[in-house]
Amino acid sequence: MTSENPSSRSQTGFFGESGGLGGSHAQFTEICTALYERELLALSHLSTNNASILKRRVGGLPYHVRSVARFMVTQSQSLFPLEVDTHNGSWYGKQPNKCPGLSQDNEKCVLWYMKNTDYGLVVPILVQSIEGLTIELDSIDMFRDSLSEIHLNKHGWFNIGQKQLTKTLASDDSHNDQVTDDPKKEGYSSPQLSKTTLTILKPTKPIMSSACCGHMWNYKTKASPRSLSMREMRLSTQINWKNFTLTPAS
């Protein structure tokens, strides 16, 4: 995600430029600090020789942090069903014993996307690797006229029309953008496989809750939650919890 005019913003007065909340709002300040520290740590481990990319991401960081923190402080639980962990700048919800979405009905998933696909729609992706399972948030940025193929901002193309809901990464790196569609991969990977598989899921409350909270599972039990990237935190603030579409339920 790109910032809205990041070059015009600086890190000076980061907590002061907080709109109606202001730096005196204790929860807002604590969340900002947690988000800011976490993202700076992630940026310090970013593998890139492109200084302009790093400069752009750092420049847009204050805007994104304030936006997420303001949402977390002001959002009512009647609209957003998760609790706020202010110390870690994250969402909190009870973790199910097993990863939701493993036994989804592929027919219903296909029908849902054929009906609700739209630009900017936030969707869940089941990520399976030798380390275990988690659900990531992504968003639709392109699709074919027939809606049979949709493209996600991070995880690429999925051929919904041909029910190719699962594909395998080209390498063991789950953050590699190079992916290969595998029509034969309609099931789920064995824990013995070193490759990472990606499965687009039909959004439900348990699935989206686990995605927002960073829930993880190994192949026997629950594991410690992961920290969401700033991009995923921004996406978590754009979810329509009534029906998970871009059109609010009437």
Side-chain angles (χ1 to χ4, degrees), residues 60-95:
L61 187 55
Y63 169 80
H64 293 309
V65 167
R66 283 193 297 268
S67 178
V68 171
R70 188 177 296 112
F71 182 92
M72 297 182 83
V73 168
T74 60
Q75 196 60 214
S76 168
Q77 272 198 295
S78 63
L79 300 175
F80 200 98
L82 301 174
E83 297 180 18
V84 177
D85 180 346
T86 57
H87 180 71
N88 293 306
S90 60
W91 298 111
Y92 173 79
K94 185 176 180 181
Q95 182 172 355

Side-chain angles (χ1 to χ4, degrees), residues 19 36 46 52 66 74 103-104 121 132 142 152 156 170 179 234:
Y36 207 44
L46 186 66
S52 64
R66 283 193 297 268
T74 60
S103 58
Q104 81 165 349
L121 181 67
M142 289 189 291
L152 305 186
V179 294
R234 286 299 308 274

Side-chain angles (χ1 to χ4, degrees), residues 103-169:
S103 58
Q104 81 165 349
D105 186 320
N106 285 349
E107 292 285 349
K108 290 183 178 179
C109 181
V110 169
L111 291 174
W112 192 90
Y113 278 101
M114 294 294 285
K115 179 181 179 181
N116 297 296
T117 288
D118 205 346
Y119 295 111
L121 181 67
V122 181
V123 302
I125 299 294
L126 174 64
V127 180
Q128 295 183 94
S129 69
I130 193 170
E131 282 121 16
L133 306 92
T134 191
I135 302 172
E136 293 188 11
L137 295 175
D138 208 337
S139 61
I140 297 175
D141 60 5
M142 289 189 291
F143 54 86
R144 307 296 188 198
D145 290 339
S146 62
L147 303 182
S148 62
E149 295 178 88
I150 62 176
H151 186 273
L152 305 186
N153 184 262
K154 177 182 178 181
H155 292 113
W157 288 102
F158 286 85
N159 194 325
I160 300 296
Q162 295 187 16
K163 301 179 183 179
Q164 294 176 13
L165 306 181
T166 299
K167 61 184 179 181
T168 305
L169 288 177

Side-chain angles (χ1 to χ4, degrees), residues 188-234:
Y188 291 93
S189 61
S190 161
Q192 302 302 319
L193 295 179
S194 60
K195 291 185 177 180
T196 299
T197 61
L198 309 173
T199 302
I200 188 167
L201 301 175
K202 175 182 177 293
T204 64
K205 187 175 179 179
I207 286 173
M208 298 301 271
S209 295
S210 285
C212 290
C213 295
H215 291 160
M216 297 187 69
W217 299 262
N218 57 35
Y219 289 90
K220 292 182 179 180
T221 185
K222 295 184 286 188
S224 298
R226 65 184 177 87
S227 297
L228 268 64
S229 66
M230 181 57 61
R231 177 179 174 276
E232 285 186 278
M233 290 301 296
R234 286 299 308 274

Side-chain angles (χ1 to χ4, degrees), residues 6-19:
S7 61
S8 66
R9 300 177 181 272
S10 69
Q11 296 174 35
T12 304
F14 176 74
F15 296 113
E17 296 181 23
S18 54

